[in-house]
Amino acid sequence: MVQYTSAMLLVDASVYIFRAFHSLPSSLTGRDEQPLNAVYGYTTFLVQLLAADDDPQVAAAFDESLTSSFRNQFFADYKANRELPPAALEAQIGACREITEALGVATLSSPVYEADDLIGTLAKDSDTPVTIVTSDKDLAQIMGPDDILWDYARETRYHCAAIEAKFGVPPARIADYLALVGDTVDNIPGVPGIGAKTAASLLQQFNGIDALLGDLDGVAASGLRGAKSLAAKLEAHAEQVRLSYRLATIVTDIDLAGEQRDIRRRAPDHEKLSSICDRLGVGERLRKRLGVATS
């Protein structure tokens, strides 16, 4: 049985805000009948998460760069297939962040870097095991040998061996894997005709996309099914593979300020939580979850 221990908890907040908004009814409203379904769902998730985890360092990263990521600078169509948050959700994101901070959790966002990059930078700089809370497979690439990827909604925790069993490649090769198969969620092109099993088989024989593209004769002679065709596809789409790899690779060296790196877990600020609840018109049940008395 695998034992899960860490000292740092990093939360991909936007994933759970979007999940709450799309899974809970818009009839959950607050003051002036403004929708609060994302606030209710995300806050419930976060309170439960914090109750289940006692890591002394905790941070939540929020996506601010939905159209202004540095990736859009070299690939304009990056995430172009995603709809921007509707007004009913956008109005709730700021409240979710306020509540996160009032619960004692440090928050980060950037107009240039995505939540994944912020999480990746904090994780890389940690000298203790890290637990990453997300449903996003991309973040597996930053896992160290003792780190855990926690898909909270599915109640599943992945260690490195479990990631390799799931994708056929170790965490360090996830970006190479995505460069080959692409990612429809983020509009990363990949290589037409190369699917998950083929990508994993290639990366089991060749140590990354540079090795693949640098030895196309070796690919053709690899013994894989349709090896010659695979070599031809890689040659024809070599630049697209390199582009896809750049898009899929998480940045782990953002120059964060000292206060952004201070993610020590703090006690909840119940006065601030009460003020937020009053302003939003939060109902009694959620107030109780937050430890806030009914006004």
Side-chain angles (χ1 to χ4, degrees):
M1 183 176 178
V2 178
Q3 296 296 316
Y4 299 101
T5 59
S6 74
M8 181 183 289
L9 185 73
L10 302 175
V11 183
D12 188 1
S14 296
V15 165
Y16 296 96
I17 294 172
F18 276 78
R19 181 189 295 273
F21 178 77
H22 290 293
S23 63
L24 294 179
S26 58
S27 57
L28 283 169
T29 59
R31 193 174 304 283
D32 300 325
E33 298 302 310
Q34 291 297 309
L36 286 183
N37 51 341
V39 169
Y40 272 82
Y42 170 75
T43 301
T44 299
F45 146 74
L46 187 59
V47 168
Q48 291 174 343
L49 175 69
L50 295 175
D53 185 276
D54 60 359
D55 282 348
Q57 297 184 86
V58 186
F62 291 73
D63 271 322
E64 182 183 332
S65 58
L66 294 176
T67 59
S68 60
S69 164
F70 76 95
R71 293 174 177 87
N72 293 104
Q73 296 175 14
F74 61 86
F75 186 55
D77 288 336
Y78 179 64
K79 293 190 176 181
N81 53 332
R82 288 196 188 186
E83 293 184 7
L84 292 176
L89 171 56
E90 193 166 4
Q92 297 182 68
I93 294 174
C96 288
R97 185 165 183 172
E98 281 187 273
I99 291 170
T100 302
E101 292 173 348
L103 282 168
V105 177
T107 67
L108 297 92
S109 69
S110 166
V112 176
Y113 296 102
E114 297 176 59
D116 289 3
D117 303 313
L118 296 164
I119 289 172
T121 296
L122 289 174
K124 183 181 179 182
D125 288 348
S126 175
D127 55 5
T128 59
V130 172
T131 297
I132 302 161
V133 183
T134 186
S135 60
D136 188 348
K137 63 182 178 295
D138 300 10
L139 277 162
Q141 68 184 265
I142 66 172
M143 290 173 63
D146 298 317
D147 295 340
I148 297 298
L149 192 150
W150 187 0
D151 188 342
Y152 186 87
R154 293 184 175 87
E155 299 181 351
T156 304
R157 305 192 197 210
Y158 296 95
H159 50 83
C160 289
I163 291 294
E164 187 163 3
K166 181 177 177 65
F167 294 103
V169 297
R173 286 285 164 254
I174 289 291
D176 301 88
Y177 171 87
L178 293 171
L180 296 173
V181 303
D183 188 342
T184 55
V185 173
D186 290 341
N187 208 31
I188 296 175
V191 181
I194 292 186
K197 290 184 178 180
T198 301
S201 296
L202 284 167
L203 293 170
Q204 287 162 10
Q205 291 196 35
F206 296 87
N207 193 26
I209 62 163
D210 287 338
L212 273 171
L213 297 177
D215 188 10
L216 294 175
D217 289 340
V219 173
S222 65
L224 294 174
R225 184 177 179 179
K228 290 184 179 179
S229 173
L230 287 175
K233 289 175 183 176
L234 288 167
E235 183 175 21
H237 296 91
E239 290 310 308
Q240 188 163 295
V241 173
R242 293 188 176 95
L243 169 66
S244 297
Y245 181 77
R246 286 182 68 194
L247 292 169
T249 299
I250 291 174
V251 175
T252 59
D253 60 355
I254 301 172
D255 186 18
L256 296 176
E259 60 269 20
Q260 292 176 299
R261 294 183 181 277
D262 182 4
I263 62 170
R264 288 172 293 179
R265 188 169 183 163
R266 305 179 306 279
D269 185 336
H270 289 101
E271 184 177 339
K272 187 173 182 181
L273 286 168
S274 180
S275 176
I276 295 169
C277 288
D278 290 345
R279 189 184 79 236
L280 296 177
V282 165
E284 182 178 354
R285 181 176 294 182
L286 185 57
R287 294 180 77 104
K288 285 183 176 179
R289 286 199 178 104
L290 290 168
V292 174
T294 305
S295 60

